Amino acid sequence: MGGSAATMALEGPAYGLIPEAALAVEHGSIAWVGPEAELPGAFDTWRRQDLEGRLITPALIDCHTHLVFAGDRAREFEMRLNGATYEELARAGGGIASTVAATRAASEEELIRTALPRLDALIAEGVSTVEVKSGYGLDRETELTMLRAARRLGELRPVTITTTFLGAHAVPPEYEGRAEAYVNEVCLATLRAAHAEGLVDAVDGFCETIAFSASQIDLVFQCASELGLPVKLHAEQLSHQGGTALAARHRAQSVDHLEYATEADAIAMAEAGSVATILPGAYYTIRETQAPPIALFRKHGVPMALATDCNPGSSPMTSLLMAMNMGCTLFRMTPEEALAGVTSHAARALGLRDRGQIAPGLRADLAVWDVQHPAELSYRIGFNPLHMRIFGGQPCCN
């Protein structure tokens, strides 16, 4: 092989690093990995490829995105920087309402066409798995259209797409002041319809003063449980509303954002086995000052994932490498934590046990980098050192 491998194994040396490693791939899966000097003789006749000293890692996983939407919020961004208040933006048709209006007006083909460049940007950085949420339709037909568009993305590109129903993202204008009525009359029925169509891998919600209360989210999670679907939650991003405790009671795959999470929340997540998904792009864009309690997650052994949170309002970012750098520079995560956050822990946040590490039996989703040490992936800013992406054992140019 002629390179090193950061296997991201949970035990062993930092990064699970194997210098001068060899890796064997068969039928889309990893057959063997270890020091090249220990390569079993059974592989002597296999075709070889010399990586010429490069680093190989698991392919990256973006475990929290809102990749499918229509329109943009660039004008709103400009207005905010020129001093416009939230109320002024809302009166001008800004905020999530503008994205909902644009998404409702778009066809499935338009949603696919506008999402593909965002997906391609992630793939170009070695990403092989992307979670995509609904949540900009907030009515039955548009939510279903978003999920169908997300599924189609995985057919149009060599990438795995997982879909998450986020009907409890915001209260639509027609239900203003009637959040619980929206949940009961629209959200739950749409979730059941999406599940019946095979469009949902997980269920999410936004527990916040500007969205839904913990008791309202609980209604959604009860429905998810009835359907046999795992849950995750946007929680404690702007204030502490008790969403993390609720998510832990439902044994959520992940709890995301978490700027205002407490030590009790960290303990509850650890006991539930939930992943803390850290989203520095939103923290950066909205100029938040309260950082998520990284030290508490470390203290209590809560695994931390990192993701772009790609969305048109609070995190218009399509670089997972930048998210890694931000996790380190803004939140003092280590480069090893950042790489685990976009590989092994990101896989766990999506409930995927077949990827995220380099180990026999797992999918051969891999990334080969023009770097000498894994820390370079978090260290550099605005630089993409990807040499080659391997998806299911096949080298891919995009």
Side-chain angles (χ1 to χ4, degrees):
M1 175 175 151
S4 58
T7 66
M8 304 314 295
L10 299 180
E11 298 178 358
Y15 301 99
L17 192 64
I18 303 174
E20 299 179 12
L23 177 68
V25 173
E26 184 177 30
H27 304 310
S29 297
I30 298 165
W32 189 89
V33 63
E36 188 170 14
E38 299 175 14
L39 184 69
F43 300 109
D44 286 349
T45 60
W46 287 29
R47 184 175 62 86
R48 298 189 177 213
Q49 182 171 357
D50 186 359
L51 295 185
E52 300 177 342
R54 296 182 176 92
L55 173 73
I56 189 166
T57 71
L60 307 189
I61 299 169
D62 197 348
C63 64
H64 182 132
T65 85
H66 306 253
L67 207 67
V68 172
F69 59 86
D72 66 73
R73 308 253 279 275
R75 178 58 180 150
E76 176 184 327
F77 174 73
E78 184 175 46
M79 291 172 66
R80 188 165 63 241
L81 291 175
N82 281 316
T85 65
Y86 181 83
E87 290 75 18
E88 289 169 338
L89 290 171
R91 284 198 298 271
I96 191 173
S98 68
T99 301
V100 170
T103 303
R104 286 178 174 181
S107 68
E108 181 178 331
E109 289 305 315
E110 288 172 324
L111 292 175
I112 293 168
R113 178 179 55 80
T114 56
L116 279 173
R118 296 187 279 269
L119 178 61
D120 287 341
L122 293 173
I123 290 173
E125 288 191 345
V127 173
S128 72
T129 302
V130 180
E131 183 256 20
V132 180
K133 304 178 190 293
S134 68
Y136 289 121
L138 308 182
D139 62 23
R140 179 186 173 109
E141 284 312 309
T142 314
E143 288 290 303
L144 295 177
T145 298
M146 290 185 70
L147 292 167
R148 292 182 194 119
R151 288 282 202 230
R152 284 278 291 137
L153 294 176
E155 298 170 4
L156 295 170
R157 294 291 187 270
V159 66
T160 299
I161 300 291
T162 70
T163 52
T164 299
F165 176 76
L166 182 56
H169 189 197
V171 181
E174 62 268 26
Y175 275 88
E176 184 176 359
R178 299 187 296 134
E180 193 152 329
Y182 165 74
V183 169
N184 285 312
E185 296 171 14
V186 179
C187 185
L188 299 184
T190 305
L191 171 55
R192 292 188 180 100
H195 175 260
E197 197 174 324
L199 296 174
V200 186
D201 297 315
V203 177
D204 199 348
F206 187 16
C207 185
E208 190 52 74
T209 55
I210 61 173
F212 297 92
S213 68
S215 63
Q216 290 160 353
I217 294 293
D218 192 38
L219 296 173
V220 180
F221 282 4
Q222 288 178 38
C223 182
S225 178
E226 292 168 8
L227 297 173
L229 293 169
V231 300
K232 48 185 69 243
L233 187 64
H234 294 59
E236 330 304 354
Q237 180 187 7
L238 306 173
S239 61
H240 192 276
Q241 297 298 314
T244 302
L246 170 70
R249 287 198 297 274
H250 284 271
R251 306 193 73 81
Q253 286 179 336
S254 71
V255 189
D256 303 19
H257 286 293
L258 294 167
E259 280 83 342
Y260 287 82
T262 64
E263 184 160 17
D265 292 329
I267 292 170
M269 291 177 65
E271 292 175 348
S274 301
V275 174
T277 300
I278 308 302
L279 304 171
Y283 174 94
Y284 169 87
T285 301
I286 67 174
R287 302 175 71 183
E288 179 60 80
T289 56
Q290 173 95 9
I294 301 299
L296 290 177
F297 296 144
R298 286 194 193 114
K299 176 182 176 182
H300 295 288
V302 179
M304 292 180 285
L306 268 170
T308 62
D309 190 19
C310 175
N311 75 75
S314 64
S315 188
M317 179 169 71
T318 54
S319 172
L320 197 52
L321 292 174
M322 180 60 77
M324 294 169 65
N325 176 269
M326 286 180 167
C328 294
T329 56
L330 297 177
F331 302 148
R332 294 182 179 264
M333 296 176 72
T334 68
E336 185 177 8
E337 287 173 333
L339 187 53
V342 297
T343 55
S344 57
H345 292 164
R348 181 171 173 178
L350 296 178
L352 299 175
R353 300 178 179 274
D354 64 345
R355 67 199 69 195
Q357 299 182 47
I358 301 177
L362 299 189
R363 273 183 63 91
D365 286 353
L366 306 163
V368 181
W369 308 92
D370 283 314
V371 302
Q372 297 299 307
H373 191 275
E376 290 187 56
L377 299 177
S378 296
Y379 155 72
R380 297 186 183 276
I381 300 173
F383 178 73
N384 180 5
L386 184 71
H387 172 73
M388 178 172 58
R389 190 179 71 104
I390 299 169
F391 181 68
Q394 298 298 314
C396 297
C397 60
N398 61 8

